[in-house]
């Protein structure tokens, strides 16, 4: 898989899996950038604590360039994907936001969409895995992806080095309860956001 093949897959089917997106050494370097402090994740507007916990039990930490060279390198690769997607798919992706996610044993994220048509501005979702290569289906924590009509599409183990990319509005998905600690970077390319009367300005 390379960027061109990824763009083709997104064009044809709206999703793709890129195994060995990063080498074992690169995954290890990113793993070493994992933070020591984590926050309870939210679920959009209804951030009521007990409600959120029934929907998702992962912990998150937003990525920033100050977290080290491996994180910078990862963000640069995402920027290359953003530019290729804009060039070939005319997606008009404006910026990228991403967080590390930690799923302790038993943690899950119920079926959801990352974006709703005509509402939010998340267009393209990326999920990258920082786990061992030998993650088995029996270790749980699989990403299950559904089609727009909610029928089953595929299930993917969160093995290290694997990047999953899909159109945020079109694919409901869930994370099954993990039986091992599970680390990922979830990210979203967004359209230009309109905040009140002012439009974001690209720099
Ligand atoms: C998310 C998400 C999937 C995963 O954070 O929105 O769906 O496999 N993550 O970690
Ligand atoms: Mn999601």
């Amino acid at each position: 898989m390379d960027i061109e093949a990824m763009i083709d897959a997104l064009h044809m089917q709206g999703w793709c899996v890129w195994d060995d997106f990063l080498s074992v050494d690169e995954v290890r370097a990113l793993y070493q950038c994992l933070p020591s402090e984590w926050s309870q994740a939210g679920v959009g507007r209804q951030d009521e604590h007990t409600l959120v916990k029934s929907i998702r039990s992962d912990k998150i930490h937003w990525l920033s360039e100050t977290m080290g060279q491996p994180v910078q390198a990862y963000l640069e690769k995402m920027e290359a994907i953003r530019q290729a997607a804009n060039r070939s798919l005319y997606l008009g992706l404006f910026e990228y936001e991403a967080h590390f996610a930690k799923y302790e044993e038993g943690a899950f994220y119920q079926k959801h969409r990352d974006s709703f048509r005509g509402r939010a501005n998340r267009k393209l979702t990326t999920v990258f895995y920082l786990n061992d290569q030998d993650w088995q289906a029996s270790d749980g924590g699989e990403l299950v992806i559904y089609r727009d009509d909610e029928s089953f599409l595929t299930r993917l183990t969160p093995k290290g080095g694997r990047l999953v990319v899909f159109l945020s509005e079109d694919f409901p998905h869930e994370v099954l309860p993990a039986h091992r600690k599970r680390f990922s970077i979830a990210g979203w390319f967004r359209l230009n956001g309109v905040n009140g009367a002012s439009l974001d300005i690209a720099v």
Side-chain angles (χ1 to χ4, degrees):
M1 179 75 68
D2 58 15
I3 281 206
E4 241 171 85
M6 185 195 75
I7 295 293
D8 283 348
L10 291 177
H11 180 67
M12 300 301 288
Q13 58 186 26
W15 65 282
C16 86
V17 181
W18 186 338
D19 281 335
D20 305 312
F21 176 72
L22 295 186
S23 69
V24 170
D25 284 348
E26 289 169 320
V27 172
R28 191 173 300 128
L30 260 178
Y31 187 92
Q32 274 155 9
C33 297
L34 285 171
S36 50
E37 309 241 328
W38 298 83
S39 316
Q40 176 73 52
V43 289
R45 277 176 296 180
Q46 317 139 293
D47 276 358
E48 207 255 299
H49 200 59
T50 48
L51 171 71
V52 171
K53 279 201 154 170
S54 69
I55 296 173
R56 65 187 295 187
S57 46
D58 58 327
K59 297 266 169 59
I60 66 166
H61 190 113
W62 291 94
L63 254 63
S64 76
E65 299 207 345
T66 59
M67 298 173 110
Q69 193 278 329
V71 172
Q72 271 172 40
Y74 184 79
L75 292 171
E76 277 163 25
K77 283 184 190 288
M78 294 301 118
E79 174 61 14
I81 289 176
R82 186 184 75 84
Q83 289 180 18
N86 282 352
R87 207 162 43 232
S88 307
L89 301 173
Y90 310 106
L91 286 181
L93 307 176
F94 183 71
E95 62 185 357
Y96 184 68
E97 59 185 357
H99 62 59
F100 286 116
K102 174 170 76 164
Y103 291 72
E104 299 277 6
E105 257 179 67
F108 59 86
Y109 193 162
Q110 282 186 7
K111 191 172 169 195
H112 65 281
R113 291 181 199 244
D114 288 342
S115 188
F116 288 90
R117 241 163 250 137
R119 265 213 264 150
N121 57 4
R122 286 175 168 179
K123 263 291 159 193
L124 193 63
T125 298
T126 64
V127 192
F128 180 72
Y129 298 110
L130 300 172
N131 305 304
D132 288 342
Q133 290 272 347
D134 69 350
W135 191 288
Q136 304 297 312
S138 56
D139 292 323
E142 287 173 290
L143 175 66
V144 184
I145 303 181
Y146 301 86
R147 298 186 188 88
D148 201 19
D149 66 3
E150 313 273 335
S151 62
F152 171 83
L153 175 60
T154 188
R155 54 198 292 160
L156 300 164
T157 58
K159 66 173 185 172
R162 169 172 275 177
L163 178 71
V164 182
V165 184
F166 55 87
L167 294 172
S168 306
E169 294 170 340
D170 295 355
F171 297 93
H173 54 280
E174 70 180 314
V175 178
L176 301 180
H179 307 316
R180 290 167 68 172
K181 225 182 229 191
R182 174 196 196 272
F183 291 101
S184 58
I185 299 176
W188 300 271
F189 294 102
R190 301 197 300 119
L191 298 182
N192 196 353
V194 180
N195 301 312
S198 68
L199 205 62
D200 294 346
I201 305 295
V203 287

